[in-house]
Amino acid sequence: MNTLVKVLMIGESGVGKTHSCIEISKVIKSIIIDVDEGAEPIIQKLNAEETVQKLDGTPYSIFIRSLKQAVQSDAEMIIIDSLTELKEVIKRHIKEKILQKGEFFIGGVERESPKRIADPDLFVLTWELHPAVYDKIRDIMRFINSAGKSFIVTYHPPVGDKVSQGEAKMLAELKRITDIMVQVTQDSMLIKKDRFFNLKELSREDFIEYLRRILQAEHISEVKEFVDSLIL
């Protein structure tokens, strides 16, 4: 069995996270779940139609269907682009469920009288309901992890005081289960975590080749010669 690799790819909008994922998919048979709905032009630009299968990622019911299809496929890599937009897709899903019922309980636990919705047009998910969003994301990542599939998840993280407790827990879980956490910049890939060889920074081209070699190796030691050539 080849080596599995789980990647969290973070970075600001426009730095090339999706582009990097499609470049990776040219050398690794992949399925990309396009939650951002922006992958198709890049797939065509990079002539990656032969190696990457794009599945729809919205609304939430379609995302779950695509995820199950990806897990059951023979793709070597599942790419979710992006977790940032998936968070919004899940929020809309939860909001629709609540509006259908006309009421909700904080945390989904019936400990007290439900909060009733006076005007559906004005209803927004308050902070009390956000933990349910992050719980679903953690469940999704655990599902992929337990399926024994390699994956890449892209994410545009909030900064400073914008990080809620629920989001912080979600990110902590992602960092725990991923093997590589990389920050994408315009110039290079800054590696924040690498449980294989503890690399710190690579060019985009070298990072893609690094992932390819890891995925195709029956044992991680097979990648050492390549890593040594990078260090030299």
Side-chain angles (χ1 to χ4, degrees):
M1 180 176 179
N2 291 353
T3 305
L4 296 177
V5 59
K6 296 163 282 187
V7 181
L8 173 60
M9 187 179 288
I10 63 175
E12 299 296 321
S13 297
V15 296
K17 297 187 297 297
T18 304
H19 193 282
S20 297
C21 288
I22 304 304
E23 288 278 15
I24 289 167
S25 76
K26 292 186 70 175
V27 296
I28 299 167
K29 188 175 182 180
S30 306
I31 286 180
I32 181 167
I33 303 179
D34 187 19
V35 190
D36 277 2
E37 300 183 312
E40 187 61 38
I42 301 174
I43 291 171
Q44 293 179 2
K45 179 181 178 182
L46 298 178
N47 298 315
E49 294 93 340
E50 295 296 321
T51 54
V52 63
Q53 180 181 358
K54 182 181 75 69
L55 300 179
D56 293 333
T58 183
Y60 182 70
S61 59
I62 298 296
F63 172 83
I64 292 299
R65 186 180 71 186
S66 294
L67 179 61
K68 290 178 179 178
Q69 180 180 339
V71 165
Q72 294 168 3
S73 75
D74 63 350
E76 295 180 78
M77 178 72 75
I78 297 173
I79 301 169
I80 297 178
D81 186 37
S82 68
L83 202 59
T84 313
E85 185 57 32
L86 178 58
K87 184 171 63 173
E88 299 306 313
V89 168
I90 293 173
K91 284 181 182 179
R92 291 194 291 271
H93 170 72
I94 292 174
K95 179 178 178 179
E96 289 169 5
K97 289 288 187 182
I98 290 173
L99 289 176
Q100 287 172 8
K101 193 171 183 181
E103 61 186 26
F104 64 95
F105 294 90
I106 298 299
V109 180
E110 300 184 15
R111 296 175 181 166
E112 55 187 36
S113 297
K115 293 183 178 292
R116 304 198 180 279
I117 300 167
D119 189 341
D121 292 333
L122 298 178
F123 175 70
V124 295
L125 289 188
T126 58
W127 65 269
E128 299 102 325
L129 294 168
H130 284 190
V133 176
Y134 300 120
D135 284 347
K136 281 192 176 295
I137 290 175
R138 287 197 294 271
D139 288 345
I140 288 166
M141 301 317 302
R142 289 169 183 159
F143 172 67
I144 302 173
N145 195 41
S146 65
K149 282 283 189 179
S150 294
F151 66 78
I152 298 174
V153 177
T154 68
Y155 189 53
H156 179 183
V159 293
D161 296 336
K162 293 182 179 180
V163 181
S164 67
Q165 185 177 19
E167 189 143 11
K169 287 181 178 179
M170 179 196 72
L171 285 173
E173 176 74 4
L174 275 173
K175 291 174 184 177
R176 183 186 69 80
I177 67 174
T178 52
D179 303 308
I180 297 174
M181 177 178 171
V182 58
Q183 180 178 352
V184 182
T185 72
Q186 297 284 3
D187 302 318
S188 64
M189 312 292 268
L190 305 176
I191 301 173
K192 305 297 183 179
K193 173 187 176 182
D194 178 3
R195 80 168 181 86
F196 299 111
F197 292 98
N198 199 31
L199 296 177
K200 300 300 182 184
E201 182 176 0
L202 293 173
S203 68
R204 197 171 307 229
E205 293 77 12
D206 284 342
F207 181 77
I208 292 168
E209 180 62 14
Y210 180 47
L211 284 188
R212 186 189 69 79
R213 288 176 180 255
I214 291 175
L215 279 164
Q216 294 183 350
E218 292 188 5
H219 190 275
I220 195 65
S221 61
E222 298 172 24
V223 188
K224 189 175 186 308
E225 184 178 349
F226 173 73
V227 171
D228 289 343
S229 71
L230 293 175
I231 295 172
L232 293 175

